[in-house]
Amino acid sequence: MSSPAPQPPPAPRHRPTLRVGVVGAGRVGAVLGAALRSAGHEVVAVSAVSDASRDRAEVLLPGVPVLPVPEVVRSAQLVLLAVPDDALTDLVAGLRATDTWVTGQLVAHTSGRHGLTPFAPVADRLLPMAIHPAMTFTGTSLDLARLSECCFGITTPDELRPVAEALVVEMGGEPVWVAEEARGRYHAALAHGSNHMVTLVAQAMEVLRSAGIEPADRVLRPLLQASLDNALSSGDAALTGPVARGDAGTVSAHLTELDPLAEDIAPAYRAQARATALRAARAGRLREDAARTILTALDEETR
């Protein structure tokens, strides 16, 4: 017979201090561990395998012992699992198979992709939370200041939502509720916006440098910052440039310049120009005939 599902601890009169174990001293785990420590919690242990993660733990969590994962888990009231998305489910199951989990523990993972599903094998023993910072990390103390502007996507059982929200606020962030069934789309949106923006900016700098223009970052920074601010505030209404104007000839000329460069650049331009034309037409910012002209030009350039 399975034991009854554990219940969250009663709300104390004063803010509790938790013994925290951090599994994974990567860029995220070390920083969040340091943030929880700054909030007054006791980080009792951290796991770190690579030299880089050990160095990171030493800098961000000085004095915290580096221990094997099972020892980190057994020593903590709150276990923070900061491991790659694809490793999370196997890690939870493996710790169950070795009877490492302590009944009644709070356990939170930092994966954007996953909600509570990885905790299914231990749902009757643990108090599970998904707490994902919507930010890109350097793994340095610079990230601690950035947490004050960071939203965290949280998914928990209803009774644990106040606990997750309190932890996020203590780290300086803002909790945002993400339904279990929405985790995949939530994470896809963040990855599409953040990761692909890095690729886009790196490509733009490469094209400028191929034209002999330096410093490329100085040329792009004001433009990209203004574009980002405008897009965040106005969405498709912020669109400018040749696609929005229906200048198919300019788009074709761009591709002529980009085709001889690195093999990823011209296809990326084509894909983004196509997406831009479709969105601009759907938003009523580009006439349908102009959109068709742009799309036809893009099709011709791929032949």
Side-chain angles (χ1 to χ4, degrees):
M1 179 181 296
S2 62
S3 59
Q7 297 298 311
R13 295 181 180 179
H14 304 287
R15 186 176 72 68
T17 297
L18 295 171
R19 296 194 311 276
V20 180
V22 180
V23 176
R27 295 183 181 185
V28 177
V31 170
L32 296 189
L36 289 169
R37 196 184 202 187
S38 294
H41 297 289
E42 181 186 5
V43 179
V44 294
V46 60
S47 70
V49 177
S50 69
D51 290 341
S53 63
R54 287 178 175 273
D55 290 344
R56 201 176 290 118
E58 183 177 351
V59 171
L60 290 172
L61 297 169
V64 175
V66 176
L67 300 176
V69 171
E71 294 183 40
V72 174
V73 172
R74 292 192 184 102
S75 66
Q77 295 171 305
L78 166 63
V79 180
L80 185 67
L81 302 178
V83 299
D85 291 352
D86 289 352
L88 179 61
T89 298
D90 288 344
L91 173 62
V92 173
L95 292 171
R96 175 179 180 269
T98 55
D99 198 28
T100 300
W101 295 113
V102 178
T103 298
Q105 272 182 318
L106 289 164
V107 55
H109 72 68
T110 62
S111 167
R113 169 188 165 195
H114 294 293
L116 300 179
T117 302
F119 295 125
V122 291
D124 61 337
R125 294 189 60 185
L126 303 180
L127 303 172
M129 301 175 287
I131 302 178
H132 172 255
M135 188 178 80
T136 183
F137 284 74
T138 64
T140 69
S141 59
L142 293 174
D143 297 331
L144 292 170
R146 292 173 179 166
L147 289 180
S148 64
E149 298 179 351
C150 178
C151 290
F152 285 67
I154 62 171
T155 304
T156 72
D158 290 341
E159 63 273 17
L160 287 177
R161 183 169 176 175
V163 178
E165 290 176 342
L167 289 170
V168 169
V169 170
E170 286 178 345
M171 288 187 284
E174 178 181 347
V176 174
W177 179 255
V178 182
E180 177 75 23
E181 63 274 14
R183 292 295 296 200
R185 191 167 295 186
Y186 155 81
H187 192 235
L190 298 184
H192 184 44
S194 175
N195 302 155
H196 297 166
M197 182 176 69
V198 172
T199 301
L200 175 65
V201 173
Q203 288 175 333
M205 288 196 294
E206 184 176 341
V207 174
L208 282 176
R209 288 169 180 148
S210 74
I213 297 170
E214 289 283 6
D217 59 327
R218 177 68 184 89
V219 174
L220 283 173
R221 190 182 304 277
L223 172 65
L224 296 182
Q225 287 180 333
S227 296
L228 177 60
D229 290 342
N230 292 342
L232 289 173
S233 62
S234 303
D236 291 318
L239 183 63
T240 63
V243 172
R245 294 191 297 267
D247 291 343
T250 299
V251 171
S252 296
H254 288 172
L255 287 168
T256 299
E257 294 291 339
L258 299 178
D259 273 330
L261 302 180
E263 62 181 0
D264 59 292
I265 293 177
Y269 182 100
R270 288 187 180 90
Q272 286 297 316
R274 176 176 291 278
T276 299
L278 293 173
R279 292 191 66 85
R282 192 163 64 241
R285 297 187 57 79
L286 184 63
R287 298 192 320 271
E288 289 190 11
D289 60 328
R292 284 195 298 271
T293 301
I294 293 286
L295 295 174
T296 297
L298 291 169
D299 289 338
E300 289 175 349
E301 289 294 330
T302 60
R303 292 172 188 166

